[in-house]
């Protein structure tokens, strides 16, 4: 058990950001990883030119890296935004424009998990109106994900860093997962269990794992405090991942941490080189 028993992937939107996007898959491969994940890379547009999509596909393939997770369009991320599905007007329209673009790109590279960030509360808008819009958009996203054989992920973020984001507990995200599955009948909406965000919210991590491991479609980690690599904070990440495995989770564990001032490639010392390639 322990770290050597997990299936890790590198989040290329938070690690290797010292490099241009198209050079990051090769850098991850050079560090020994064969699986990667991404936030939506084109924050300015939900529908980039086909040439841009093709170039990213080539970069992933040339590096021998498998994309295992992709965010739908989520607004300015990194930045002030936390998704678009519940944000009325232009952002919601952008999300809808992006649904098939993201799903088709995922299909083209064999990615089986699409994450839809819920979006911040908007001042002056009734939360119930936002939640109704979110469900409509998430149903569309779940159907598109299903069309390409993928799951739809719903993520809890943390309140200190995302004070306007409404899904700041595991039960809040699970409730949305259940609503989407009830509305579609597809059962492909799953929980994205991020141990860093949940710990920042003060949740009982072993209890969350016991309650929701069977509804979890993807896991992400960073240490707390600091959102650094495992071992830079006080979270018992190795033990928590063991608990997830014992509870039946056999999916990917995304490394969504900050490397600090050093080059990203130097932030993987906690993980033996032979444990980095996907199994």
């Amino acid at each position: 058990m322990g770290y050597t028993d997990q299936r890790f992937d590198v989040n290329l939107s938070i690690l290797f950001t010292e490099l241009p996007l198209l050079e990051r898959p090769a850098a991850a491969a050079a560090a020994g990883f064969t699986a990667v994940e991404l936030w939506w890379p084109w924050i300015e547009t939900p529908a980039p030119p086909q040439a841009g999509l093709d170039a990213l596909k080539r970069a992933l393939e040339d590096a021998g890296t498998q994309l295992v997770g992709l965010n739908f369009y989520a607004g300015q991320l990194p930045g002030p935004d936390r998704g678009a599905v519940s944000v009325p007007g232009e952002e919601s329209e952008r999300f809808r424009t992006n649904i098939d673009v993201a799903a088709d790109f995922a299909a083209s590279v064999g990615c089986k998990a699409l994450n839809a960030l819920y979006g911040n509360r908007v001042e002056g808008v009734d939360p119930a109106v936002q939640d109704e819009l979110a469900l409509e958009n998430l149903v569309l996203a779940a159907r598109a994900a299903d069309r390409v054989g993928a799951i739809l992920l719903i993520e809890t973020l943390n309140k200190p860093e995302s004070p306007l984001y409404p899904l700041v507990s595991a039960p809040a995200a699970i409730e949305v997962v259940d609503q989407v599955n009830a509305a579609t009948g597809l059962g492909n909406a799953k929980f994205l269990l991020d141990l860093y965000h949940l710990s920042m919210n003060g949740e009982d991590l072993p209890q969350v794992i016991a309650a929701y491991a069977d509804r979890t479609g993807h896991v992400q980690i960073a240490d707390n405090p600091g959102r650094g690599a495992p071992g830079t904070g006080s979270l018992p990440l190795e033990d928590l991942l063991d608990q997830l495995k014992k509870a039946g989770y056999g999916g990917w564990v995304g490394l969504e941490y900050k490397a600090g001032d050093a080059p990203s490639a130097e932030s993987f010392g906690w993980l033996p080189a032979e444990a980095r390639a996907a199994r």
Side-chain angles (χ1 to χ4, degrees), residues 84-110:
V85 301
S86 68
V87 181
E90 191 176 322
E91 281 298 89
S92 172
E93 290 306 314
R94 284 174 165 232
F95 179 81
R96 291 190 184 197
T97 298
N98 176 248
I99 289 174
D100 283 329
V101 177
D104 289 343
F105 180 75
S108 78
V109 294

Side-chain angles (χ1 to χ4, degrees), residues 195-256:
L195 289 166
Y196 168 73
H197 288 311
L198 295 173
S199 70
M200 284 284 286
N201 289 328
E203 293 192 65
D204 181 331
L205 299 180
Q207 191 272 326
V208 168
I209 289 166
Y212 303 127
D214 62 334
R215 324 275 286 285
T216 296
H218 191 68
V219 169
Q220 290 173 333
I221 64 168
D223 215 332
N224 186 18
R227 199 173 184 172
T232 59
S234 57
L235 272 185
L237 288 167
E238 197 162 13
D239 183 47
L240 291 165
L241 292 177
D242 279 348
Q243 290 175 39
L244 267 159
K245 205 156 186 94
K246 286 174 187 160
Y249 179 74
W252 295 100
V253 177
L255 305 180
E256 198 187 45

Side-chain angles (χ1 to χ4, degrees), residues 135 139 142-143 175-189:
L135 184 57
V139 164
R143 288 181 178 144
E175 184 180 354
V176 174
V177 167
D178 289 344
Q179 288 171 346
V180 175
N181 285 333
T184 65
L186 295 170
N188 71 327

